[in-house]
Amino acid sequence: MNTPANRAEPSLALGMVGNCAISALVDAQARIVWCCMPRFDGDPVFNALLQPGSEGSSFAIELEDFAASEQWYEPNTAVLRTRLTDVHGNCLEVTDFAPRFHARSRFFRPGMLVRRVQPVCGSPRMRVRLDVLYEWGECRPAITRGSNHVRYVGSAFALRLNTDAPVTYVLSGEPFTAHREYSFLLGADESLAEGIADTARYFEQETLSYWKRWTQRLHLPLEWQDAVIRAAITLKMSLFEDTGAIVAAMTTSIPESANSGRNWDYRYCWLRDAFFVVRALNSLSEVGTMEDYLRWLGNVVAKAADGHIQPLYGIGLEQELPEVIVPHMAGYRGMGPVRVGNQAAEHFQHDVYGNIVLGAAQSFHDKRLLHPGGNAEFARLEQIGTMAVQVYGQPDAGMWELRTRARIHTSSALMSWAACDRLAKIAKVLGLAERAKHWHSHAQRMRAEILERAWSPARGAFAESFGGSELDASVLLMAEVGLVAPADPRFVSTLDAMEQTLCDGPYMRRYEAADDFGKPETSFNICTFWRIDALARVGRTEQARGIFEAMLAVRNPLGLLSEDTHATTGEMWGNFPQTYSMVGVINAAMRLSAPWDSVI
């Protein structure tokens, strides 16, 4: 039997299920190895991803005499299926999802995971291993049982497993023959209104229907549709719908490279990352996520009474996210430390103001929205523009969140320009000629200075900071946000210099200079996608397509990406699934795909 003692070490060959309230990561053998409750940034009640071996917790459906498995998503949905086969040819299938569908004029998205297990062939013998841990693995729950449920009671909250499987076997871990379908519903400590099996089947049917209808409304490119659909669903699941926040990833402390110590907690909302998520989904005509995010963003702006806005917040608008190390957890593959919280919340990252304006700009131009931007929203956005002007040209930690070095980063200055540029365009749409003139003048001044002070004659490229000479992939955003034309010889020269300095084959690193931890060992996926975008913009389409295909090839078997890729092994590193990376898949496909009118 495939027991915990002989399982392979943790990997990122994981599937994600979620419903915009909670999420879980499921490995290739149907083990839930990561799940935070009661929300994305909560307590990891299943933590085996970061605590391998008997000290960790997971929810496993194990097959006796296990031989092989296959895993896939039901097409166009977030419903995951895993088929387990034993050495005798017996087979069972595990279906995982978090319920999400429209009911009673609202989205029904309980903090619940549903697992349905059914025999497919022969007489498979299965074992249920459900280990819940609280308080980051330090506390075991008090367990009580009923005829069809088990309660796992912690000091802060309790979980209830409703199941029609034998409760005795669930608690003992004793194997038993799966002669029929079994359902497991793990969530809040509440009784079900209807029968267990009926509820599970109904939830699956409605959840499948929701995701298929949601996908049906997407505006897809002609090529790479499966990759785009999977990326879009993953981004949607990264929305914490209760507040509108969008998390950067579902995990903490997956290192950027082996034993690097670059282990961060990404379960929060970065304004920068969220803007790119919103824009990618907007390109697919999915504007609902943007409206949810703008609701959250409006509260961020309203709360910033002193004008300063942090680069990230908790998904409930928490400002203080103190970074601490969990000493008793081993970390991913034993590569600690495990961190909770993120010190970057204390940073001054001046690109944040531009990201706010960019994230809100479409709401003033898009007639489809239920709550389009108007004069009142513009007035609040002008306050952000004022901050962008004030911080322009001041040293900061930069978008890569350097902890011990401050410079006037080109990317931060670029976003201040973007804030002023977009405010001028919004004012024009609203018929506010004087305000349009005001913001346009700021944008003109900033643009001229950026083009002069960021240019390094010695490198023949735009540098990462004013007066600097080191290269940084974030400078490629100059064309993406419109500061320079892609055909500008200076931009083309910058791209050429970066390809010589920052690229390892198809992959691209963030920067060439050493940081607080030395020089990065892995490529940063979003930088590779920026390169793809830049190549396409300058007309090197075939090269861009080749690099895009290389990136698609290093996704995990379910089409998901983490933050980083090792250029030699192709292995994924960094937190998972990384929204920024999934954004890159959508953006590249939309830019590179052949047009629909080429086939119809």
Side-chain angles (χ1 to χ4, degrees):
M1 172 174 185
N2 189 59
T3 64
N6 60 23
R7 285 196 186 103
E9 65 181 358
S11 81
L12 298 182
L14 303 170
M16 174 180 164
V17 296
N19 62 359
C20 303
I22 62 165
S23 69
L25 301 180
V26 186
D27 74 8
Q29 296 175 21
R31 280 197 313 155
I32 298 177
V33 296
W34 185 257
C35 177
C36 294
M37 292 283 192
R39 62 187 206 181
F40 298 154
D41 59 353
D43 192 2
V45 295
F46 301 128
N47 65 18
L49 186 63
L50 297 185
Q51 187 76 318
S54 60
E55 297 299 314
S57 59
S58 64
F59 186 175
I61 305 295
E62 297 180 348
L63 183 63
E64 198 170 45
D65 298 324
F66 170 81
S69 68
E70 58 178 321
Q71 194 172 49
W72 69 96
Y73 280 106
E74 190 67 22
N76 298 354
T77 78
V79 176
L80 183 67
R81 305 201 194 276
T82 310
R83 187 164 290 185
L84 306 174
T85 304
D86 68 20
V87 296
H88 311 291
N90 300 307
C91 180
L92 60 80
E93 188 172 290
V94 183
T95 296
D96 283 298
F97 64 96
R100 178 175 174 81
F101 50 89
H102 204 259
R104 298 179 181 177
S105 300
R106 64 181 177 88
F107 281 115
F108 177 69
R109 41 174 168 75
M112 175 187 290
L113 299 173
V114 178
R115 316 200 77 184
R116 298 187 64 213
V117 182
Q118 58 186 39
V120 175
C121 181
S123 299
R125 286 181 59 77
M126 61 178 279
R127 182 196 303 264
V128 179
R129 292 188 184 272
L130 202 173
D131 299 307
V132 172
L133 291 176
Y134 291 120
E135 299 180 26
W136 288 85
E138 287 201 292
C139 293
R140 293 197 170 275
I143 298 176
T144 65
R145 62 169 292 174
S147 58
N148 290 102
H149 76 263
V150 182
R151 298 175 65 242
Y152 301 85
V153 183
S155 60
F157 62 94
L159 294 175
R160 177 189 291 245
L161 176 72
N162 290 289
T163 183
D164 54 4
V167 171
T168 298
Y169 295 153
V170 171
L171 289 172
S172 69
E174 184 69 22
F176 61 96
T177 302
H179 58 84
R180 62 172 177 84
E181 177 185 288
Y182 298 103
S183 297
F184 303 84
L185 296 86
L186 180 69
D189 188 17
E190 301 170 353
S191 299
L192 297 177
E194 305 293 339
I196 292 170
D198 289 343
T199 299
R201 281 192 290 268
Y202 174 71
F203 282 2
E204 180 181 353
Q205 168 191 312
E206 292 301 302
T207 300
L208 285 168
S209 179
Y210 163 79
W211 286 111
K212 288 181 178 179
R213 289 197 303 270
W214 184 85
T215 303
Q216 184 184 40
R217 294 193 293 268
L218 298 179
H219 170 68
L220 296 174
L222 175 62
E223 299 178 87
W224 305 295
Q225 291 187 32
D226 288 339
V228 170
I229 289 170
R230 185 52 47 207
I233 290 174
T234 304
L235 294 182
K236 183 67 174 181
M237 287 193 289
S238 300
L239 166 71
F240 185 65
E241 197 167 49
D242 187 49
T243 64
I246 300 170
V247 295
M250 291 298 169
T251 60
T252 177
S253 305
I254 308 297
E256 293 179 13
S257 58
N259 297 302
S260 65
R262 300 171 184 267
N263 301 18
W264 317 114
D265 190 350
Y266 276 12
R267 301 169 304 142
Y268 310 112
C269 185
W270 271 257
L271 303 186
R272 177 191 314 112
D273 299 45
F275 155 64
F276 282 102
V277 169
V278 164
R279 192 175 69 160
L281 289 176
N282 287 351
S283 74
L284 303 176
S285 295
E286 203 290 296
V287 297
T289 300
M290 178 177 70
E291 294 206 272
D292 283 324
Y293 173 65
L294 290 178
R295 172 167 49 90
W296 183 82
L297 191 61
N299 285 313
V300 169
V301 172
K303 193 173 183 177
D306 63 351
H308 170 63
I309 293 181
Q310 300 172 189
L312 71 149
Y313 292 83
I315 59 178
L317 288 177
E318 294 84 1
Q319 291 177 266
E320 296 185 5
L321 302 172
E323 185 175 294
V324 298
I325 290 175
V326 183
H328 58 273
M329 294 192 74
Y332 180 74
R333 299 186 185 175
M335 299 176 187
V338 172
R339 289 186 171 94
V340 180
N342 200 303
Q343 184 197 356
E346 303 170 13
H347 289 185
F348 285 79
Q349 296 177 24
H350 296 159
D351 66 325
V352 66
Y353 305 102
N355 286 308
I356 291 173
V357 177
L358 286 170
Q362 184 169 333
S363 67
F364 294 88
H365 302 276
D366 197 325
K367 301 297 184 182
R368 297 170 296 174
L369 302 185
L370 295 175
H371 305 287
N375 287 352
E377 289 77 16
F378 177 68
R380 287 193 291 271
L381 212 56
E382 282 198 294
Q383 298 173 19
I384 302 302
T386 299
M387 286 301 302
V389 172
Q390 290 179 9
V391 301
Y392 170 79
Q394 301 298 315
D396 72 342
M399 69 182 302
W400 304 127
E401 302 176 346
L402 301 175
R403 299 188 169 206
T404 59
R405 185 178 72 207
R407 294 177 178 175
I408 303 174
H409 288 95
T410 301
S411 58
S412 297
L414 171 66
M415 288 302 168
S416 285
W417 168 83
C420 297
D421 178 75
R422 284 2 181 231
L423 284 168
K425 292 173 179 176
I426 294 168
K428 184 177 180 181
V429 168
L430 296 176
L432 304 173
E434 287 301 315
R435 300 314 298 162
K437 181 179 178 181
H438 169 82
W439 292 112
H440 182 65
S441 66
H442 279 301
Q444 279 188 311
R445 171 180 60 85
M446 291 178 185
R447 181 178 183 274
E449 186 173 18
I450 293 169
L451 293 178
E452 177 185 353
R453 296 187 64 188
W455 179 254
S456 170
R459 301 299 297 271
F462 290 111
E464 54 88 34
S465 61
F466 283 10
S469 61
E470 295 163 350
L471 300 185
D472 186 311
S474 64
V475 172
L476 293 177
L477 293 172
M478 294 173 80
E480 187 167 338
V481 300
L483 182 83
V484 297
D488 188 312
R490 293 168 295 181
F491 182 76
V492 176
S493 177
T494 300
L495 176 59
D496 290 340
M498 288 185 181
E499 292 204 297
Q500 292 295 319
T501 305
L502 298 181
C503 293
D504 302 304
Y507 312 113
M508 188 172 221
R509 286 170 276 115
R510 285 175 284 182
Y511 38 75
E512 62 180 335
D515 60 20
D516 311 326
F517 293 80
K519 287 194 174 184
E521 300 174 27
T522 52
S523 66
F524 203 69
N525 289 332
I526 191 58
C527 297
T528 303
F529 286 114
W530 289 343
R531 178 190 181 192
I532 291 169
D533 182 82
L535 287 168
R537 288 177 186 271
V538 302
R540 302 175 187 172
T541 305
E542 288 308 310
Q543 184 186 358
R545 288 175 69 94
I547 296 171
F548 184 37
E549 291 290 353
M551 287 303 298
L552 293 178
V554 295
R555 294 175 302 157
N556 78 9
L558 292 167
L560 307 184
L561 278 170
S562 65
E563 183 180 42
D564 306 270
T565 300
H566 193 284
T568 303
T569 66
E571 185 174 10
M572 295 194 300
W573 291 91
N575 282 306
F576 176 90
Q578 180 75 8
T579 54
Y580 229 157
S581 299
M582 305 310 292
V583 161
V585 172
I586 293 173
N587 289 346
M590 294 297 285
R591 181 160 295 283
L592 295 173
S593 174
W596 278 95
D597 60 13
S598 66
V599 296
I600 57 175

